Amino acid sequence: MLKKRPVLFLILLVIVTYANTIRNGYNFDDQLVTNNHYLTSTNSKSNMVDIFTKPYYSDKMGYSYGYRPITLLSFYIENHLLKESPHISHFINVILFCLTVIALYKLIHSIAIDGSDKVALLASVIFALHPIHTEVVNSIKNRDELLALLFALLSFRYLLQYNGKNYSALISAFLIFSLSILSKKSTIPLAYVMPTTLLLVRQINYKSFLLASLPLIVVAFLFGGVLNSNHILTFGFISLMYLATIYILYNNKKIITTLNTITISQKFKVIAATSIQFAIYFLVIWFKQFGYLIISLPFYYYLFKTNKTYTIYLIIIQALAIDWILNYHDFGLISLFIAIGLFVTTYINSKLNTATILLLALTIILFNYNSQFLIFNFGTIIITFLFFFSVERKIVFAIVTTAGTIAGAVFFDNTPLLGMLMLLIVAYKFTHKYELNSLVPIILSMVILAIVIYPSLDFKSNVIKRISTTANIKTNLITDVNSNNISEGRSLSFIENSLITESSHEILVFTGLSVLGKYLFLNLLPYQLSFYYGYSVIDVCNSKSPASWLSLLLHIILIVIAFWKIKKQPLLTIGILWYIASITFFSNWIELVAGVVGERLSYNASVGFSIFISGLILGLKPAFLNKKPFYLEFFVILILTLFFLKTVSRNTEWFNPTKLMSSDIKHLDNSGQANNMYGIALMSEFQKSSNLYEKEELINKALFHFKRTISIYPKFFNAHIDLSKVYIIQGKLHEARRQLIIAYGIEPKNLLVIEELIKINFDIKNIRALIYYTDQYLRYDEKNEKVYELISHLLFENGKTKLALKYSELGLKHFPNNQILLYIYNNDFTSKGN
C-alpha cells in the first residue's frame, strides 16, 4: 500500500494518528471562535457579509484585532449546517489536516524531478506524524493555520503548472493564495518561496517569473503591510529587493556587458555612488531602520576600491553622526574603533597624515562627550594607545596591558570585542615582522560589527532598567467600544513577550537568533512540548549568548547546503528556503509574538523542514526504500514510530485545558503566563465542580499557581486580580484587598481594579477607603449604578447622612429611578441629618 496507493496510506496514517482528538473538548483560546461567537454563532444576528467587514476578534470592552474572514466563514458554515460542538470541530480539523498532508504529497510529486516521488512520500509521512503539529490539529482556534497552509499548498500546485502561457493557472494560484492569506497571514513568506521554487524547477524567463510572483507579492504586501501600517516599509523593501535580486540573477551577463560599454568619468562615478549612499544613509536615519544599510554595501565597496581612505573617513563620520543624532552609542563605537584602526595602520606604514590624526581626536572627543560610560570608555582608549605606542619597544608590557584591558572589560561586563581583535592583529603584525595589508584590521572590524553590534550599554543595567519600568506597561487596554478595527496583531503585555520594552538592536537580534534555535530544536527533537512559553522560560539574549551563536552557525550551515545543492538536489534547497523564510517570519524580528515562541507558528515552516530532512535522507541513500531495509531505513522507521507515539500521547493531553496545563506545568515552572493560565483554568473547573473536596483542592492549586506567577513577575496586574478572587472565595477579604491595592499601584487608572476595591472595602466596611476609591472611579466614569448604591448604602448605614445624601444625589442625576438611591436620598433629605 505504501508504494502502490500512497494517498490511501497517508489518509489511514492521519486517521490512526489523530482519531483520538475527536473526543476532546474545548481548550484554551477556543473561545475566540466558539461559544456563541459574535459573528459565527447561530444565535448571532450577523450574516456572511459581516464576516468580511468586521475583525476576527472583538469583545464587549471594544478590544478587537485581526482579519481572518475565511477562517470565520468556515465556523459560520459549520455552525449553521451542524450544531456547535467541540467534537464536530475537532473532526473537521482532522479532515483539514488530512487534506493538507495529501496536498503536500501531490505538490512535491508534481514537481516531477529526480527523486520527487520518494521525497513526496517521506516528507508527507514526517509531516503527518510530527508531534509539533498537535497544537494546530487539537486546538479548534488554530483552524486558521490549517486553512492557511492547505490553501497555500493548493495555490502552489497551480503555480507549478504555469509554463509562461497558461494564465488560468496563474489566476487560480492567485485566488487560492488570497484565500490562504485571508485565513491567516502566516503564509506570507510563501509569496516569495513559491515563485523561487518555480524558478528552480521550471525553465521560465524573467517576464513569466514576474507575472507569476507579482500577484502573490501584492497579496502579501496588502495583508502583511497595509493592515500593519508599521510594516508597510518592511514588506515593500523586501518585495523590491527580492524582485531586483532575481532580475540581476537572470540578466547578470547582460548587465555586466552593458556597464562595460558605458564610458563615464571616474570622478562622476564616485560622486554618483556617494550621492546614492548618502540617500540611503538619510533614509536609515529618518526611519531608524539600520538594516537598510545593507543596501549601501555595494556602494561602500565601489568607493572602497576607488579611494580607500576617503571611504573610511565617510564611514567614521556617518557612524558618529548616527550616535549623535539618534543617540545609538553602538555606532559611536564603530566610528571610534575604525578611527583607531586607521590611525594604527597608517602609523605603522609611515603614512600618517594630519587629517587622520584630527579625525581620530574628533571621534574620541565626540564619542566620550556623548557616552554614558565616559570614564570607562576613555580608560579603554588610553590603554589601547599605551599598547599601540609601546608594542614596538616592549612586547611583554604590551601583553600585560592587553590582558589588563580584557580583565577590566570582563569585570565591567562590557567586553570591547573589536578593540581586542584589533590589538591581536597589530601584535601579530609586529611580532612576525612583515607588512600586513593596512585594510585588514578595518575590514575585519566591519565584518565583526555587522554580526555583533558592540554592546555599549551594560546588559545587566538594561535588564534592571527593563524590570523597573514594567510598572508602566498596560496589560488591559480599553479602546473604543464601537471600534471595527481589522488590523492584524494585538497588544502584548511584558509577561507575554519581554521584548516589548527593548529598544536595543543587539538584544532584538540575538534573542531572535535564540528563538530560531528553539524552533529548530523543537523540529529536530520534539520530546518536550508546551502549551505556552514566554517570560521567563525564553530569556532575552545579547551578543554573549552561546545559544544565539550556535543558532546562527546552524542556520548558516543550512544556507550553505541550500546553495551547494541548488543544482544537484533542488528539493533540498527548496526545503531549506521554505523552512528558513517561514520560521524567520516568527523570529520576533518582524513583529513580536505572544509567548515569544509558539509551536503553532512552526506549522508552515515544518513543511520545509520535512522536505529538507527527506531530501537529506535521499541524498545519503538514493536507493532508500528500493532495496532491502538496512541501518538508515530502520533508524528512520524508529524515529517515525517515536513521533507517532508522542503525537498520539500528546493528543490525549489536549483533552481539556486543565489536563493539558497540568501535564506541561511540570516543565514550565518558570513561565509566569503559563502559571497564570493554569490558575485561571483551575478556577474555571472550581466553578463547574459540585464536589466539596474537589473544589477545595482546585482552589488551593489555583492559589499556588497565582502566587507562583507573582513570584516570577511581581508586576503582573491580572495575576493580582485573580489572586484576590481566590482569597475572596476563601473568605480572606483583607488578603484580597492587599492584592487589589498592589494591582491598583500597577495600573492606577484601571476601572476594573478600582471597582473591585470599592466592593471589597464595602464588604469589610472600610468607609474612608471606600470614599477614596469611589472618588477615583467617578473621575473616569460617572455612570456606574452599582458604585453609587454601595457607597450611599454604607454611609447611610453608618450614620454618615450628609455624605450619603451627596452620593445618592450624584447617582440620581444619572439613574433617577434607582429605588435604593431614592430611599436613601428621601430619608436623608427629610431628616436633614448631620
Side-chain angles (χ1 to χ4, degrees):
M1 183 186 291
L2 183 62
K3 291 185 178 180
K4 294 180 179 179
R5 296 181 180 178
V7 172
L8 181 59
F9 168 76
L10 291 170
I11 292 171
L12 291 174
L13 186 66
V14 172
I15 291 173
V16 171
T17 307
Y18 282 98
N20 62 340
T21 68
I22 298 171
R23 69 185 182 89
N24 291 348
Y26 290 124
N27 219 297
F28 73 94
D29 279 352
D30 283 350
Q31 75 277 3
L32 295 177
V33 290
T34 57
N35 297 335
N36 296 317
H37 189 272
Y38 84 111
L39 289 175
T40 65
S41 170
T42 52
N43 299 325
S44 172
K45 296 179 181 179
S46 302
N47 53 41
M48 280 198 266
V49 175
D50 293 325
I51 288 173
F52 286 88
T53 56
K54 292 187 176 180
Y56 169 72
Y57 174 78
S58 181
D59 59 26
K60 293 179 182 179
M61 296 294 291
Y63 182 67
S64 61
Y65 69 89
Y67 185 61
R68 304 170 196 175
I70 300 302
T71 301
L72 292 179
L73 182 62
S74 76
F75 286 107
Y76 182 91
I77 295 170
E78 175 189 332
N79 294 337
H80 284 75
L81 292 181
L82 307 165
K83 66 177 182 178
E84 188 170 341
S85 161
H87 309 303
I88 292 172
S89 296
H90 282 303
F91 176 75
I92 292 172
N93 272 20
V94 173
I95 296 299
L96 289 172
F97 183 68
C98 188
L99 291 173
T100 302
V101 173
I102 295 167
L104 175 60
Y105 171 78
K106 293 283 188 181
L107 170 66
I108 301 172
H109 197 274
S110 68
I111 292 176
I113 60 176
D114 187 34
S116 61
D117 54 341
K118 291 182 182 179
V119 172
L121 182 58
L122 187 54
S124 301
V125 171
I126 293 171
F127 185 81
L129 295 177
H130 205 298
I132 205 170
H133 301 150
T134 50
E135 179 181 357
V136 171
V137 181
N138 282 276
S139 171
I140 296 170
K141 174 260 175 188
N142 281 315
R143 185 177 297 178
D144 48 12
E145 298 285 0
L146 289 165
L147 288 169
L149 182 57
L150 176 58
F151 284 127
L153 293 172
L154 295 174
S155 170
F156 207 158
R157 196 174 175 198
Y158 273 106
L159 189 71
L160 287 175
Q161 295 173 13
Y162 177 61
N163 57 11
K165 297 179 181 179
N166 52 338
Y167 298 110
S168 60
L170 278 187
I171 295 169
S172 299
F174 166 71
L175 293 175
I176 298 173
F177 188 68
S178 298
L179 295 178
S180 172
I181 298 295
L182 290 172
S183 298
K184 193 178 181 183
K185 65 175 186 175
S186 54
T187 53
I188 282 176
L190 296 184
Y192 307 97
V193 175
M194 289 159 64
T196 306
T197 303
L198 185 68
L199 191 67
L200 292 173
V201 299
R202 300 286 187 267
Q203 296 295 323
I204 58 171
N205 56 34
Y206 185 73
K207 181 182 177 182
S208 299
F209 166 80
L210 208 58
L211 288 172
S213 58
L214 272 178
L216 305 180
I217 290 173
V218 167
V219 173
F221 176 73
L222 284 174
F223 295 101
V226 174
L227 285 185
N228 292 267
S229 57
N230 55 320
H231 294 325
I232 290 178
L233 189 64
T234 301
F235 280 103
F237 170 72
I238 290 171
S239 301
L240 289 173
M241 288 296 292
Y242 172 73
L243 294 174
T245 302
I246 300 298
Y247 177 80
I248 292 169
L249 290 175
Y250 260 107
N251 301 283
N252 61 86
K253 292 182 180 179
K254 184 179 177 181
I255 291 169
I256 292 169
T257 304
T258 305
L259 289 175
N260 288 334
T261 59
I262 299 174
T263 53
I264 302 174
S265 68
Q266 187 68 25
K267 186 177 180 180
F268 180 83
K269 290 179 183 178
V270 171
I271 293 171
T274 305
S275 301
I276 296 170
Q277 194 281 318
F278 261 101
I280 298 167
Y281 171 74
F282 286 121
L283 188 72
V284 168
I285 291 180
W286 183 263
F287 291 106
K288 299 182 182 179
Q289 294 290 335
F290 303 120
Y292 300 150
L293 282 171
I294 296 170
I295 312 172
S296 295
L297 291 179
F299 302 100
Y300 277 131
Y301 177 76
Y302 174 75
L303 293 171
F304 215 75
K305 296 288 285 184
T306 307
N307 191 324
K308 296 170 184 176
T309 306
Y310 166 77
T311 309
I312 295 166
Y313 287 168
L314 188 68
I315 293 169
I316 293 170
I317 293 168
Q318 288 184 346
L320 201 59
I322 291 175
D323 181 12
W324 268 72
I325 296 169
L326 301 179
N327 208 32
Y328 284 96
H329 300 307
D330 298 333
F331 285 89
L333 282 162
I334 290 173
S335 63
L336 177 65
F337 281 113
I338 293 176
I340 293 172
L342 179 63
F343 176 86
V344 172
T345 50
T346 52
Y347 170 75
I348 292 168
N349 294 317
S350 302
K351 295 180 180 179
L352 192 61
N353 54 47
T354 307
T356 302
I357 297 171
L358 290 175
L359 185 61
L360 176 59
L362 181 67
T363 306
I364 293 169
I365 293 166
L366 293 180
F367 173 75
N368 279 284
Y369 185 80
N370 203 39
S371 174
Q372 295 181 19
F373 296 93
L374 224 162
I375 296 173
F376 173 62
N377 285 326
F378 188 71
T380 305
I381 295 164
I382 293 295
I383 295 170
T384 305
F385 271 106
L386 285 172
F387 173 79
F388 288 156
F389 285 103
S390 63
V391 70
E392 285 181 304
R393 286 165 279 172
K394 296 181 180 179
I395 298 296
V396 175
F397 179 75
I399 294 171
V400 171
T401 310
T402 306
T405 306
I406 296 172
V410 171
F411 178 79
F412 284 101
D413 194 27
N414 198 10
T415 308
L417 300 175
L418 299 180
M420 297 307 101
L421 175 68
M422 216 171 295
L423 298 181
L424 290 172
I425 290 170
V426 176
Y428 181 84
K429 180 172 180 176
F430 274 109
T431 53
H432 285 72
K433 303 293 181 184
Y434 72 89
E435 283 297 310
L436 208 64
N437 187 324
S438 62
L439 293 172
V440 170
I442 298 168
I443 293 170
L444 285 177
S445 299
M446 294 288 287
V447 171
I448 299 298
L449 279 166
I451 300 171
V452 188
I453 298 178
Y454 180 94
S456 60
L457 297 180
D458 182 34
F459 177 67
K460 290 179 182 176
S461 64
N462 272 339
V463 173
I464 294 167
K465 181 182 178 183
R466 184 182 72 246
I467 293 173
S468 65
T469 56
T470 52
N472 298 321
I473 300 167
K474 300 299 179 186
T475 53
N476 293 308
L477 300 178
I478 299 175
T479 56
D480 184 4
V481 176
N482 299 314
S483 171
N484 274 330
N485 176 31
I486 61 171
S487 64
E488 269 294 346
R490 65 179 178 87
S491 300
L492 300 178
S493 64
F494 175 82
I495 201 161
E496 291 179 296
N497 193 316
S498 53
L499 287 171
I500 64 169
T501 60
E502 292 297 346
S503 58
S504 166
H505 284 72
E506 177 201 356
I507 289 175
L508 289 173
V509 168
F510 282 92
T511 302
L513 284 171
S514 176
V515 167
L516 291 177
K518 181 68 174 178
Y519 279 123
L520 188 58
F521 179 81
L522 286 172
N523 275 277
L524 287 168
L525 296 169
Y527 75 94
Q528 192 176 82
L529 301 176
S530 304
F531 71 90
Y532 203 85
Y533 294 87
Y535 179 85
S536 59
V537 170
I538 307 294
D539 293 323
V540 294
C541 302
N542 66 351
S543 58
K544 297 169 187 174
S545 165
S548 299
W549 283 106
L550 178 60
S551 172
L552 177 63
L553 176 63
L554 291 174
H555 285 84
I556 288 173
I557 290 171
L558 287 177
I559 293 168
V560 170
I561 292 172
F563 280 101
W564 179 34
K565 295 292 183 179
I566 196 167
K567 291 184 178 179
K568 291 184 178 180
Q569 284 185 273
L571 281 172
L572 200 68
T573 301
I574 293 165
I576 294 171
L577 175 65
W578 190 317
Y579 173 77
I580 290 180
S582 299
I583 207 64
T584 301
F585 193 61
F586 298 108
S587 63
N588 292 271
W589 287 338
I590 295 176
E591 64 180 39
L592 301 183
V593 172
V596 188
V597 169
E599 289 161 21
R600 68 194 179 281
L601 305 178
S602 182
Y603 183 62
N604 176 29
S606 67
V607 171
F609 177 82
S610 301
I611 294 171
F612 162 64
I613 293 297
S614 304
L616 194 63
I617 291 170
L618 268 297
L620 293 171
K621 188 175 181 181
F624 187 81
L625 295 178
N626 279 353
K627 294 183 179 181
K628 187 177 180 180
F630 204 54
Y631 294 119
L632 185 59
E633 283 82 358
F634 283 127
F635 177 74
V636 171
I637 291 169
L638 174 63
I639 296 298
L640 292 176
T641 303
L642 292 173
F643 274 17
F644 169 76
L645 294 173
K646 176 66 178 178
T647 299
V648 172
S649 172
R650 185 65 175 168
N651 291 340
T652 62
E653 293 171 358
W654 276 87
F655 182 74
N656 60 37
T658 310
K659 185 172 183 179
L660 175 67
M661 295 178 189
S662 64
S663 171
D664 290 1
I665 205 69
K666 297 167 189 174
H667 60 263
L668 289 176
D669 187 51
N670 286 329
S671 174
Q673 182 73 328
N675 276 278
N676 185 63
M677 292 168 73
Y678 186 34
I680 293 170
L682 290 166
M683 289 284 284
S684 178
E685 290 295 315
F686 170 84
Q687 299 293 341
K688 296 174 187 175
S689 177
S690 57
N691 184 299
L692 292 178
Y693 175 77
E694 184 182 41
K695 286 174 78 75
E696 185 179 0
E697 186 179 9
L698 287 168
I699 202 68
N700 286 331
K701 279 187 178 180
L703 179 68
F704 172 82
H705 287 287
F706 286 135
K707 283 184 173 180
R708 177 61 186 154
T709 301
I710 292 169
S711 71
I712 295 168
Y713 180 49
K715 299 292 184 180
F716 194 0
F717 174 85
N718 289 347
H720 288 288
I721 297 290
D722 292 327
L723 183 56
S724 73
K725 292 176 182 177
V726 173
Y727 282 132
I728 289 171
I729 291 170
Q730 293 180 330
K732 300 176 181 178
L733 298 185
H734 288 281
E735 285 293 328
R737 180 175 179 268
R738 190 172 73 86
Q739 293 302 319
L740 289 170
I741 290 172
I742 295 171
Y744 176 74
I746 297 169
E747 291 194 25
K749 295 182 181 179
N750 190 292
L751 294 182
L752 168 67
V753 69
I754 301 175
E755 186 175 5
E756 291 301 316
L757 278 164
I758 290 170
K759 292 176 183 177
I760 200 77
N761 282 293
F762 173 84
D763 290 336
I764 63 175
K765 302 186 185 307
N766 188 329
I767 295 174
R768 181 178 294 181
L770 179 62
I771 294 171
Y772 173 79
Y773 290 114
T774 298
D775 290 342
Q776 292 299 311
Y777 190 95
L778 295 178
R779 286 174 59 191
Y780 305 107
D781 182 8
E782 295 180 347
K783 296 182 179 180
N784 189 319
E785 195 169 4
K786 189 68 178 177
V787 169
Y788 292 112
E789 287 180 358
L790 291 174
I791 189 160
S792 299
H793 176 79
L794 189 63
L795 290 170
F796 180 74
E797 189 181 64
N798 285 272
K800 306 290 184 180
T801 52
K802 279 188 177 181
L803 285 173
L805 178 64
K806 169 190 169 183
Y807 286 105
S808 61
E809 190 175 8
L810 286 172
L812 287 169
K813 288 180 182 179
H814 301 287
F815 310 102
N817 298 318
N818 186 288
Q819 295 301 310
I820 296 174
L821 297 177
L822 281 170
Y823 175 80
I824 294 171
Y825 176 78
N826 290 329
N827 275 274
D828 284 346
F829 186 75
T830 55
S831 65
K832 297 180 181 180
N834 51 21

